[in-house]
Amino acid sequence: MPMWMPRRADFPLSDEQLKFLLKKFDANGDGKLSKQELQDAFKSMGLHFCGWRAKKAVRHADKNGDGYVNEEELNDLVR
């Protein structure tokens, strides 16, 4: 896995690169991504409407309904 983090995603990222980038935003280290953590990640990639995207990502990926995206759910989200 690369040990870098782009400031802005101006190029396509591989699934592994995107997962690595998203995991870097797990601020409390609980192994799950909250809506706020996803919003921060999307903002770092230079995406617009980060809050809306994060809400939609959690709604799409959160299969167990706990309000977070865990490791297994992250795989589905990245795909």
Side-chain angles (χ1 to χ4, degrees), residues 25 27 34-45 50 54:
F25 285 88
S34 67
K35 179 183 166 253
Q36 183 62 53
E37 290 167 335
L38 284 170
Q39 183 174 339
D40 293 343
F42 293 157
K43 188 178 286 188
S44 80
M45 290 187 263
C50 298

Side-chain angles (χ1 to χ4, degrees), residues 61-66 68-78:
D62 182 21
K63 302 299 184 213
N64 64 8
D66 66 354
Y68 296 91
V69 177
N70 64 32
E71 178 75 26
E72 184 179 316
E73 295 165 339
L74 184 59
N75 290 331
D76 293 338
L77 180 64
V78 168

Side-chain angles (χ1 to χ4, degrees), residues 14-37:
S14 72
D15 290 356
E16 289 303 311
Q17 289 171 320
L18 183 54
K19 279 176 49 178
F20 178 78
L21 176 65
L22 291 173
K23 286 180 185 181
K24 285 290 195 183
F25 285 88
D26 180 10
N28 59 3
D30 64 356
K32 302 182 286 186
L33 293 169
S34 67
K35 179 183 166 253
Q36 183 62 53
E37 290 167 335

